[in-house]
Amino acid sequence: MDPTYQQLLRKLVSSGTLNVLERKSLDSFGKLPVPKADVTEVIKEILEEHGIFPAIAKEDSDGTVYEGFLIEIIAQNRIRLRVQRPAVFNPTEMAQKKDWEFNEMEAGIKQFIEWQWPNGIDGIPLG
């Protein structure tokens, strides 16, 4: 994978957005829609680095509960896909969560992509 493409893709997957120049640069690689396999590889890398994706979902020092979908490594090649939200009046308290466990990392990541980005990432289509 081209290093520039890899950097753009990592930024898109990590932050959920690209600026106009970055979008044009991504388009110049001729990979639109962005292959879900490429997105999967980026998520795997981040999971291996941080044990969780998105990395910002790690509990903050103030204990604020992350809102949305996240993936955690729970054992070798086993992951947990979770959707959660904090309490309305207390962001450090979990209001709701639902977990799914996968014995294959790729299956869990595929489901995450389908639920988190069913229509692409910030207007950038996935294919």
Side-chain angles (χ1 to χ4, degrees), residues 37-97:
D38 293 354
V39 173
T40 298
E41 287 305 312
V42 170
I43 292 173
K44 275 186 189 177
E45 289 174 12
I46 295 170
L47 273 170
E48 289 169 1
E49 291 170 17
H50 300 280
I52 194 166
F53 178 84
I56 61 167
K58 279 191 173 181
E59 190 173 345
D60 293 332
S61 58
D62 65 357
T64 302
V65 174
Y66 175 80
E67 183 167 2
F69 286 98
L70 60 97
I71 306 171
E72 299 175 283
I73 295 176
I74 55 176
Q76 185 176 4
N77 212 31
R78 287 187 53 223
I79 63 171
R80 174 184 302 124
L81 173 56
R82 171 179 285 171
V83 63
Q84 62 185 31
R85 70 175 185 83
V88 174
F89 296 109
N90 184 358
T92 62
E93 181 181 310
M94 182 81 68
Q96 287 181 314
K97 71 176 179 175

Side-chain angles (χ1 to χ4, degrees), residues 1-2 5-6 9-10 13 26 29-45 109 113 117 121 126-127:
M1 198 179 301
D2 181 280
Y5 173 73
Q6 176 74 13
L9 190 56
R10 187 172 174 110
V13 170
L26 183 67
F29 288 97
K31 287 198 169 194
L32 288 180
V34 173
K36 289 180 182 177
D38 293 354
V39 173
T40 298
E41 287 305 312
V42 170
I43 292 173
K44 275 186 189 177
E45 289 174 12
I109 293 172
I113 291 169
W117 300 308
I121 305 172
L126 303 179

Side-chain angles (χ1 to χ4, degrees), residues 109-124:
I109 293 172
K110 179 181 178 190
Q111 189 62 66
F112 172 87
I113 291 169
E114 292 299 319
W115 287 344
Q116 182 68 23
W117 300 308
N119 300 313
I121 305 172
D122 193 32
I124 297 173

